[in-house]
Amino acid sequence: PAASQKAAFDQSPSARTAPGERYRCLPAREKAALIDNMAASLAVEPTSVRRCVIGYARQADENFGEVLAAQIPAYRIDPA
């Protein structure tokens, strides 16, 4: 892979914690908006995609992942 692609998949500790640091610095209102936007988007994605994104969110910040996972069902539309 190209260097830019390899950088996108960097699994170093700093690559996993920088998003968590950013999340923790957000005001409560912005955290809620981020969670709502992500949950609404993920609600229509396949389970495998949801699990992957939630996993990355948990790596960044355990609370971020937990809150995101808990919010997704509010946006799920199950076929009748």
Side-chain angles (χ1 to χ4, degrees):
S4 62
Q5 288 176 324
K6 188 173 182 179
F9 297 104
D10 185 3
Q11 291 298 308
S12 67
S14 63
R16 292 189 305 267
T17 59
E21 290 170 13
R22 175 71 177 126
Y23 173 78
R24 288 185 292 275
C25 289
L26 291 174
R29 187 175 193 175
E30 289 183 28
K31 282 182 186 177
L34 174 64
I35 294 292
D36 281 343
N37 289 335
M38 289 183 69
S41 294
L42 288 170
V44 298
E45 296 296 332
T47 301
S48 60
V49 172
R50 290 194 306 268
R51 286 182 180 155
C52 182
V53 173
I54 291 167
Y56 285 133
R58 283 184 175 133
Q59 284 181 354
D61 181 276
E62 186 68 29
N63 180 260
F64 181 28
E66 294 301 318
V67 173
L68 178 59
Q71 189 65 23
I72 292 171
Y75 293 96
R76 294 279 301 152
I77 299 173
D78 294 319

